[in-house]
Amino acid sequence: TANIILVVAENMLGDKKVTVVFVLGGPGSGKGTQCSNIVEHFGFTHLSAGDLLRAEIKSGSENGTMIENMIKEGKIVPSEVTIKLLQQAMIKNENDKFLIDGFPRNEENRAAFENVTKISPAFVLFFNCSEEEMERRLLGRNEGRVDDNIETIRKRFKVFVESSLPVIEYYDAKDKVKKIDAAKPIPEVFEDVKAIFAPYAKAT
Ligand SMILES: Nc1ncnc2c1ncn2[C@@H]1O[C@H](COP(=O)(O)OP(=O)(O)OP(=O)(O)O)[C@@H](O)[C@H]1O
Ligand SMILES: Nc1ccn([C@@H]2O[C@H](COP(=O)(O)O)[C@@H](O)[C@H]2O)c(=O)n1
Ligand SMILES: [Mg+2]
């Protein structure tokens, strides 16, 4: 009789092995700002779930109106839509190191991503900041986002506490969360981020 050993390769995307870091934190905690710094210093590719959804609206996709309405209400778009966008973006990029910013936002996002892609994050970078400070930043952002108004900001905070924090707790129980004090000025936050990414430094 033959013995069959089945090896299930994890974190494979087609024929490339990928490193994924989930970047989480409340609205306005500074995820996008710090991701730009990480891209520059550590050679990751930044994929913001929110940016991908906003690009999908602009592209005139059949899901555009649904996504726009969800974003205006601060609600989480169904996982299948967001995961497809993330998968497509990772496949068409030659890099093998990705920062996935603003995802997973709820338990449905988390479980579906794991089931569909079989990818688990190397770690979760969590930007911790008070609502008071995040509100100040969002109201001062001036990027013309339809959800940067006080009414939607309050809804986004509620969704963060009720749906996104449990995801962070899930990964914390697995010792995968690296928590950053995001209330400090941008350069100081990046000093703390740098210490975490040191093992991923680009060879010079
Ligand atoms: N540490 C900081 N101190 C002060 N302002 C900051 C800091 N980090 C980011 N900002 C500013 O706060 C605003 C929000 O930052 P950013 O867009 O990076 O947040 P985000 O977490 O990606 O938000 P969102 O979840 O809404 O996409 C921006 O105007 C940015 O310049
Ligand atoms: N996994 C996600 C991420 C985002 N959204 C929607 O986009 C909005 C903006 O996201 P940012 O990360 O850019 O702040 C967010 O409030 C959601 O409406 C989503 O549905 N699922
Ligand atoms: Mg952002």
Side-chain angles (χ1 to χ4, degrees), residues 99-115:
L99 298 169
I100 301 195
D101 161 3
F103 184 98
R105 274 295 228 281
N106 60 13
E107 175 57 23
E108 191 217 357
N109 274 185
R110 183 201 65 71
F113 186 82
E114 213 167 274
N115 290 335

Side-chain angles (χ1 to χ4, degrees), residues 172-191:
D172 199 27
K174 293 180 176 287
D175 258 348
K176 282 206 165 188
V177 174
K178 298 188 190 292
K179 185 173 173 177
I180 297 276
D181 177 2
K184 297 196 271 187
I186 294 171
E188 288 179 34
V189 176
F190 190 53
E191 282 307 306

Side-chain angles (χ1 to χ4, degrees), residues 78-155:
S79 299
E80 60 196 75
V81 173
T82 318
I83 291 172
K84 200 165 142 207
L85 295 173
L86 286 168
Q87 266 185 316
Q88 284 170 348
M90 283 195 284
I91 287 167
K92 76 172 186 219
N93 196 297
E94 282 186 359
N95 204 346
D96 59 359
K97 296 188 291 182
F98 295 95
L99 298 169
I100 301 195
D101 161 3
F103 184 98
R105 274 295 228 281
N106 60 13
E107 175 57 23
E108 191 217 357
N109 274 185
R110 183 201 65 71
F113 186 82
E114 213 167 274
N115 290 335
V116 172
T117 68
K118 311 289 177 213
I119 294 171
S120 34
F123 60 90
V124 174
L125 191 63
F126 168 39
F127 290 108
N128 189 41
C129 194
S130 70
E131 284 191 3
E132 192 188 17
E133 174 63 16
M134 293 191 293
E135 182 181 307
R136 194 171 19 249
R137 291 179 189 176
L138 292 173
L139 291 175
R141 181 154 59 181
N142 275 329
E143 284 179 4
R145 276 179 51 163
V146 292
D147 53 352
D148 278 352
N149 58 80
I150 192 61
E151 201 186 323
T152 313
I153 288 169
R154 296 221 165 110
K155 290 179 183 168

